[in-house]
Amino acid sequence: MDYKEITLMINHEVEPYIAEILNELGANGVVIEDSLELQKGRIETFGEIYELNPADYPEKDVRVKCYYSEYDYKDELLSDIEEAVKSLQDVEVTRFEIETADIKDEDWENEWKNHFHAFKASERFTVVPSWEDYQPESDEEVIHLDPGMAFGTGDHATTSMCLRLVEEYVKPGMSVIDVGTGSGILSIAAHRMGAAPIRAVDLDKVAVRVAEENFAINHCAEAIETDTGNLLVGETEKRDVVIANILAHIVDLMVDDAFNLLNDKGLFIASGIIDEKEQMITDHMLEAGFTIKTITREKGWVAILAEKV
């Protein structure tokens, strides 16, 4: 199966919103190349140093690439993306350029390899591409990952914040459901923390297949049940933890179901929420009966830990 690559050039003010726009429009993977990264030469929160190749970044503004399978791509997507960007409220759009290219199936894997390298995602977890050799330190938990066509490598703020919450709050023996599992990274992390049983669901059959492959790579395939599913619809087994790293409006759809599915003192880890949607989600959680234990914010994104009381 071949893919269509859509490349956008946008100004920096649009960048905090672009991933959510593209994911809402069905993109399978988003790559953001920010010209300001070259000026940072950056050292991240957990000490990793990025060696940046100037050839990979635009001279100014932000280059964004996203991908659609040949079955999902429609010509009207281009106008839908432009309309969504230019309708952003209180955001000045001073640059918007869009173009497409065809990506052969055999080139897809190499495209991701250009952007995905080993990195420390939290105090405990280091994410390593399945194709890279890596020698961990004694205190590192390594998650080997091949994201393929699924979302979630751990390098995006939404996923890394979830990883840190899993690391801190998921305890041995807790039962977990990971909704919109994507690459399966959060289920793998929950397994490493001793959670059981774990169920990983996603509406996208391709994501479920990718997650299953990553579970096998990390020797936990038999410990994690997988299935296609529409959020928590039809789920009846009580859980100690619900994890949802999706998008704010989708998280909002499942708040009540999450409350009903959780055991007393159960935890709801929700991410993929932009700053502007934080109040909407926390208000709904409080209305449903949750208490808010902690809110983590990073790079315009929010992760919320709520408890059923």
Side-chain angles (χ1 to χ4, degrees):
M1 181 169 59
D2 295 336
Y3 303 95
K4 182 74 76 171
E5 177 186 73
I6 299 177
T7 301
L8 308 172
M9 290 301 302
I10 57 174
N11 52 294
H12 287 98
E13 290 77 10
V14 176
E15 190 271 331
Y17 308 94
I18 195 65
E20 181 168 24
I21 288 172
L22 295 173
N23 284 321
E24 285 183 347
L25 290 172
N28 289 304
V30 178
V31 175
I32 296 177
E33 300 166 347
D34 187 342
S35 60
L36 294 180
E37 295 295 335
L38 296 175
Q39 300 174 22
K40 297 172 186 175
R42 61 181 181 154
I43 298 178
E44 281 288 348
T45 306
F46 297 98
E48 68 270 30
I49 299 174
Y50 288 73
E51 296 181 1
L52 301 177
N53 181 356
D56 294 335
Y57 291 82
E59 292 184 3
K60 64 178 182 178
D61 297 326
V62 180
R63 182 191 297 124
V64 181
K65 297 180 181 180
C66 62
Y67 301 88
Y68 290 84
S69 74
E70 59 185 338
Y71 302 117
D72 295 330
Y73 178 81
K74 301 292 185 296
D75 287 338
E76 54 264 30
L77 268 171
L78 304 184
S79 57
D80 289 344
I81 293 169
E82 181 173 6
E83 180 181 354
V85 169
K86 293 186 176 179
S87 65
L88 287 169
Q89 296 183 355
D90 301 320
V91 178
E92 185 179 9
V93 181
T94 58
R95 185 176 187 184
F96 181 88
E97 299 166 15
I98 190 166
E99 60 183 34
T100 65
D102 295 320
I103 302 290
K104 295 295 183 183
D105 187 35
E106 58 269 22
D107 295 330
W108 172 261
E109 181 178 0
N110 291 329
E111 179 65 26
W112 274 108
K113 287 181 179 180
N114 291 333
H115 298 277
F116 183 31
H117 304 285
F119 65 96
K120 193 169 179 62
S122 69
E123 292 291 347
R124 181 166 181 167
F125 292 113
T126 297
V127 179
V128 179
S130 60
W131 56 86
E132 279 193 7
D133 292 327
Y134 182 82
Q135 297 301 318
E137 300 293 335
S138 59
D139 60 345
E140 282 183 298
E141 280 280 357
V142 172
I143 296 177
H144 294 281
L145 212 62
D146 186 345
M149 285 293 292
F151 174 78
T153 62
D155 62 337
H156 194 277
T158 59
T159 311
S160 61
M161 287 188 293
C162 276
L163 282 171
R164 297 199 289 275
L165 291 171
V166 168
E167 179 181 303
E168 184 172 357
Y169 290 98
V170 174
K171 308 299 181 185
M174 282 185 167
S175 56
V176 173
I177 184 165
D178 176 13
V179 183
T181 190
S183 66
I185 184 173
L186 298 175
S187 289
I188 296 168
H191 171 73
R192 296 286 180 83
M193 301 308 298
I198 301 171
R199 178 170 165 83
V201 298
D202 203 296
L203 189 62
D204 185 351
K205 292 180 180 180
V206 174
V208 172
R209 176 180 56 78
V210 170
E212 289 172 343
E213 292 171 354
N214 284 321
F215 298 155
I217 292 170
N218 288 275
H219 310 292
C220 57
E222 295 184 0
I224 303 174
E225 177 189 8
T226 58
D227 201 357
T228 53
N230 182 12
L231 304 181
L232 293 174
V233 176
E235 298 291 338
T236 58
E237 184 176 341
K238 291 285 189 176
R239 300 283 171 174
D240 298 311
V241 183
V242 173
I243 303 172
N245 179 27
I246 315 180
L247 293 169
H249 71 283
I250 300 178
V251 170
D252 192 50
L253 291 174
M254 59 183 291
V255 168
D256 296 296
D257 288 339
F259 185 85
N260 293 330
L261 196 69
L262 282 167
N263 293 317
D264 290 342
K265 301 296 183 182
L267 302 175
F268 185 17
I269 297 173
S271 190
I273 303 162
I274 60 173
D275 285 335
E276 289 75 10
K277 301 292 181 67
E278 176 185 333
Q279 191 68 50
M280 177 187 76
I281 299 299
T282 55
D283 286 349
H284 193 171
M285 286 177 167
L286 293 171
E287 180 183 342
F290 284 106
T291 60
I292 307 300
K293 285 183 67 73
T294 187
I295 298 176
T296 306
R297 301 177 182 87
E298 184 177 333
K299 298 178 181 176
W301 295 92
V302 176
I304 302 169
L305 177 68
E307 182 179 27
K308 179 177 179 177
V309 294

